[in-house]
Amino acid sequence: MSTYVYGIADAGHPNLPDGIDGIGDPARKVRVVRGGGLAALAGDAPEDLRPKRRDLLAHQHVLSEAGAGGTVLPMRFGSVAEDDSAVAAALEQHAEHYKERLRALCDRAEYNVKVQHDEDAVLRLVVGQDDGLRALVESNRKAGGGSHEDKMRLGERVAAAVQAREATDAALVREALEPRADALSEAPQSTGWIGNLSFLVHRDSAADLLNAVEELRQSHPHLVFRVNGPLPPYSFVDQGLATAAGG
């Protein structure tokens, strides 16, 4: 049977959750696979493994239990190796790199910050700051809405101004928050967000990052923030080596 891998810790980790319930229905028990002075949290992989809510939560729970007692390199959901021997061999082969990452992530957590525009607020902002746009809006208003061409011209100008503001605000948020973290990982741009940033933060200084987010929220009310954390530092694990451990 294939082996599912939750994460990697030092062999001396004081709180490895050996024997607790993991993914699967019925739940597969978590076990520890050792090699290279390291310990992988593992279990039997279900044949029908899919990212179902119950299994996603179980994966997170195993990492949370282990992370409460020491540093763990989290594997992303779905990391599967051929068997326990393959996991142990990967630990042996990449031991030095895993140990370096464990030292770098010691006492640190990930905070994900997503940012988007409040549409109404950003429209008011860009029009209020652009004399040309204000003139077009006023001209169309006096003309009872303006012609189709007038409306198209205004729409294009507004869209360009909002797009430029997105770039400006994304840079603003990054510049304000990056100094509050040990490392930054930026996700690819996606529809609806002007920024999707993950920060590696020492647990003792997490409040500094959160306070900086709140300051931005107060000073730039057209920005909407969604903060998620503390999380296992998924974005700061070498996923190439994570794949080596997880098959």
Side-chain angles (χ1 to χ4, degrees), residues 174 178 181-186 197-200 236:
R174 176 171 181 152
E178 188 171 10
D182 292 338
L184 166 67
S185 176
E186 187 168 6
L197 307 173
S198 289
F199 298 92
L200 183 67
F236 303 94

Side-chain angles (χ1 to χ4, degrees), residues 149-210:
E149 290 75 12
D150 291 337
K151 292 176 182 177
M152 288 290 294
R153 184 163 58 251
L154 177 59
E156 290 170 356
R157 285 282 301 274
V158 169
V162 169
Q163 187 174 22
R165 188 74 201 196
E166 288 177 352
T168 298
D169 286 336
L172 168 76
V173 171
R174 176 171 181 152
E175 289 170 7
L177 300 184
E178 188 171 10
R180 315 298 178 99
D182 292 338
L184 166 67
S185 176
E186 187 168 6
Q189 287 188 339
S190 60
T191 303
W193 303 108
I194 64 172
N196 184 357
L197 307 173
S198 289
F199 298 92
L200 183 67
V201 181
H202 194 283
R203 295 181 186 276
D204 292 342
S205 60
D208 190 34
L209 176 72
L210 298 178

Side-chain angles (χ1 to χ4, degrees), residues 56-190:
L56 290 168
L57 291 175
H59 180 96
Q60 182 70 27
H61 176 67
V62 172
L63 291 172
S64 296
E65 288 291 305
T71 307
V72 178
L73 298 182
M75 301 293 106
R76 295 193 184 276
F77 180 87
S79 298
V80 177
E82 183 177 357
D83 53 28
D84 285 11
S85 296
V87 175
L91 295 180
E92 292 279 358
Q93 181 178 356
H94 302 294
E96 289 308 311
H97 182 85
Y98 289 136
K99 290 176 181 179
E100 183 279 325
R101 294 313 300 155
L102 284 167
R103 290 191 294 269
L105 299 179
C106 182
D107 294 328
R108 284 160 174 79
E110 177 173 335
Y111 283 80
N112 177 254
V113 179
K114 292 185 175 69
V115 191
Q116 62 185 162
H117 276 155
D118 179 302
E119 291 186 6
D120 291 338
V122 77
L123 284 175
R124 290 193 297 270
L125 180 66
V126 298
V127 172
Q129 294 181 339
D130 188 318
D131 293 340
L133 272 180
R134 284 202 307 276
L136 277 177
V137 170
E138 183 62 17
S139 175
N140 282 13
R141 185 188 66 78
K142 289 179 177 179
S147 66
H148 175 71
E149 290 75 12
D150 291 337
K151 292 176 182 177
M152 288 290 294
R153 184 163 58 251
L154 177 59
E156 290 170 356
R157 285 282 301 274
V158 169
V162 169
Q163 187 174 22
R165 188 74 201 196
E166 288 177 352
T168 298
D169 286 336
L172 168 76
V173 171
R174 176 171 181 152
E175 289 170 7
L177 300 184
E178 188 171 10
R180 315 298 178 99
D182 292 338
L184 166 67
S185 176
E186 187 168 6
Q189 287 188 339
S190 60

Side-chain angles (χ1 to χ4, degrees), residues 2-9 13 15-24 26-34 39-46 54-55 57-67 72 84 87:
S2 299
T3 297
Y4 185 92
V5 183
Y6 298 89
I8 298 170
H13 188 293
N15 191 38
L16 294 174
D18 193 0
I20 70 169
D21 287 345
I23 63 171
R28 273 67 166 174
K29 296 296 182 182
V30 174
R31 60 179 178 269
V32 177
V33 177
R34 299 181 184 274
L41 297 168
D44 292 340
R54 186 228 171 267
D55 285 339
L57 291 175
H59 180 96
Q60 182 70 27
H61 176 67
V62 172
L63 291 172
S64 296
E65 288 291 305
V72 178
D84 285 11
V87 175

